[in-house]
Amino acid sequence: MSIRKIAVLTSGGDAPGMNAAIRSVVRTALSKGVEAFGVYRGYNGLINGDIEPMNLRSVSDIIHRGGTMLYTARSPEFRTEEGMQKAIANCRKMGIDGVVVIGGDGSFRGAQDLTRRGLPCIGIPGTIDNDISCCEYTIGFDTAMNTCVEMVDKLRDTAQSHDRCSVVEVMGRRAGYLALNVGIAVGATSIIVPEVPYDFERDIVQRMETTFSTGKKHFIVVVAEGVGHVIEMAKEIEERTGIESRATILGHVQRGGSPTLRDRLLASEMGYNAVELLLQGKSNRVVAVQSGSIVDFDIEEALQMKKPFDFDLYKMAHEISI
């Protein structure tokens, strides 16, 4: 099948670098004589026909911007057969031969559903949680880490001034990659993640007491969102140790901001390769990074993969943070 028109959409949570990926998809397609279309508000846009042709200038001055110029939205209707058929009908009406989907696991399941119904799709991993199993680094992860480090560094200033403990919640509902990396980068006394069961006395109180006995008077505890309860945790720390404690939930500030060089470069590479795959007649694939190289996997295979948690890195983090 000859590819003459390609559409691109963003789905799920926004991530810094998505705009760089959109830009790369559009400009790669146009450079190869293929028409490019932008789908607004994810799969809802496919269902509602919110699709517009894009040219070189459509994606000017977006590579440095966070969020997504195409917007994103959840689409319960797309999970139904009727919704999927509406999306396919709109693509057929506009002559769209393939779709590049930028998002997470849920977005890839949608891409798989479309491919099975005759509309070729390629997925690009975009999520700040870095929880896509087939991919070592996802678009947005590096920027989110840097944002968290900047925020925690600011909290450290006031924690140090008052001899406090600052308990900081970072994003990561099912994955602790963000918490682990940020915790190491800020020298956290304790890092609490969903992958490792924790004991409050051993992993927080005793570590703080040991560190206190060596002369340290302020502390940082980094907690992944999937563990949560940071407000209660801060109260209990203060009760158990006598050290004044404050909880901070960084929240959606982690999703925003100008993407780092790494995220811009990664997004550009992934966008380019996604278009190349479609032009090669391939579909139902996810572009990924393995051992520093761009590769691709069948979506079904990618969804079944399990991402290993780096327990050695976790062990190191706690050994060097006393």
Side-chain angles (χ1 to χ4, degrees):
M1 172 179 159
S2 176
I3 301 292
R4 295 161 299 177
K5 297 181 179 181
I6 290 175
V8 57
L9 64 84
T10 50
S11 177
D14 62 294
M18 281 184 164
N19 280 328
I22 294 166
R23 173 182 180 271
S24 182
V25 169
V26 169
R27 291 193 170 175
T28 301
L30 294 173
S31 73
K32 296 179 182 299
V34 175
E35 292 183 57
F37 291 79
V39 182
Y40 291 88
R41 295 173 180 84
Y43 289 115
N44 272 348
L46 282 184
I47 291 172
N48 299 324
D50 196 3
I51 306 168
E52 293 184 3
M54 305 190 82
N55 57 41
L56 292 174
R57 301 284 70 83
S58 300
V59 291
S60 290
D61 299 321
I62 65 168
I63 196 170
H64 61 293
R65 300 185 186 280
T68 163
M69 66 163 288
L70 292 177
Y71 308 102
T72 182
R74 304 202 181 278
S75 181
E77 186 180 0
F78 185 76
R79 297 191 185 99
T80 68
E81 184 63 33
E82 183 182 2
M84 282 184 271
Q85 291 301 331
K86 282 183 184 177
I88 291 171
N90 280 325
C91 287
R92 296 285 182 244
K93 184 168 63 177
M94 299 191 71
I96 292 170
D97 303 307
V99 180
V100 176
V101 175
I102 307 167
D105 281 347
S107 305
F108 297 158
R109 289 186 177 90
Q112 185 178 52
D113 288 336
L114 289 177
T115 301
R116 286 173 173 169
R117 289 160 178 79
L119 183 62
C121 293
I122 302 293
I124 295 178
T127 166
I128 67 166
D129 292 346
N130 200 36
D131 60 351
I132 304 298
S133 299
C134 67
C135 192
E136 291 174 355
Y137 253 80
T138 58
I139 295 170
F141 182 51
D142 190 62
T143 306
M145 285 193 295
N146 279 278
T147 297
C148 289
V149 167
E150 181 183 356
M151 296 298 104
V152 176
D153 282 349
K154 293 178 187 297
L155 289 170
R156 182 203 307 280
D157 292 342
T158 189
Q160 186 172 18
S161 298
H162 294 270
D163 290 337
R164 285 177 181 158
C165 173
S166 187
V167 185
V168 186
E169 180 185 291
V170 302
M171 283 187 169
R173 279 179 294 174
R174 298 179 302 275
Y177 309 112
L178 191 61
L180 176 58
N181 284 270
V182 170
I184 292 171
V186 301
T189 303
S190 294
I191 303 169
I192 311 299
V193 296
E195 293 87 348
V196 183
Y198 78 99
D199 178 272
F200 188 86
E201 177 68 26
R202 180 194 65 211
D203 296 321
I204 298 179
V205 174
Q206 288 182 10
R207 289 185 62 81
M208 287 179 61
E209 289 175 345
T210 299
T211 307
F212 186 85
S213 69
T214 63
K216 187 159 186 171
K217 299 295 189 291
H218 68 279
F219 308 88
I220 301 290
V221 177
V222 174
V223 183
E225 178 186 9
V227 177
H229 312 298
V230 292
I231 296 174
E232 294 82 357
M233 199 177 287
K235 289 179 181 177
E236 189 170 355
I237 288 172
E238 186 164 335
E239 290 171 2
R240 299 280 292 279
T241 66
I243 296 169
E244 187 179 5
S245 302
R246 295 286 186 272
T248 302
I249 299 173
L250 295 185
H252 284 82
V253 68
Q254 297 163 87
R255 289 197 180 279
S258 181
T260 59
L261 182 151
R262 183 168 194 172
D263 276 332
R264 298 184 200 194
L265 178 60
L266 178 64
S268 298
E269 288 184 282
M270 286 184 166
Y272 178 86
N273 280 272
V275 174
E276 283 283 335
L277 287 171
L278 282 174
L279 295 182
Q280 291 167 15
K282 297 179 181 179
S283 64
N284 205 50
R285 311 291 294 179
V286 177
V287 181
V289 177
Q290 289 284 342
S291 301
S293 298
I294 300 293
V295 295
D296 59 273
F297 296 93
D298 180 84
I299 291 180
E300 184 66 34
E301 179 187 0
L303 290 174
Q304 291 177 359
M305 288 181 178
K306 300 296 182 185
K307 191 166 192 172
F309 185 75
D310 195 334
F311 290 99
D312 289 337
L313 192 63
Y314 181 82
K315 179 174 179 285
M316 182 210 79
H318 285 84
E319 288 187 3
I320 66 175
S321 295
I322 289 294

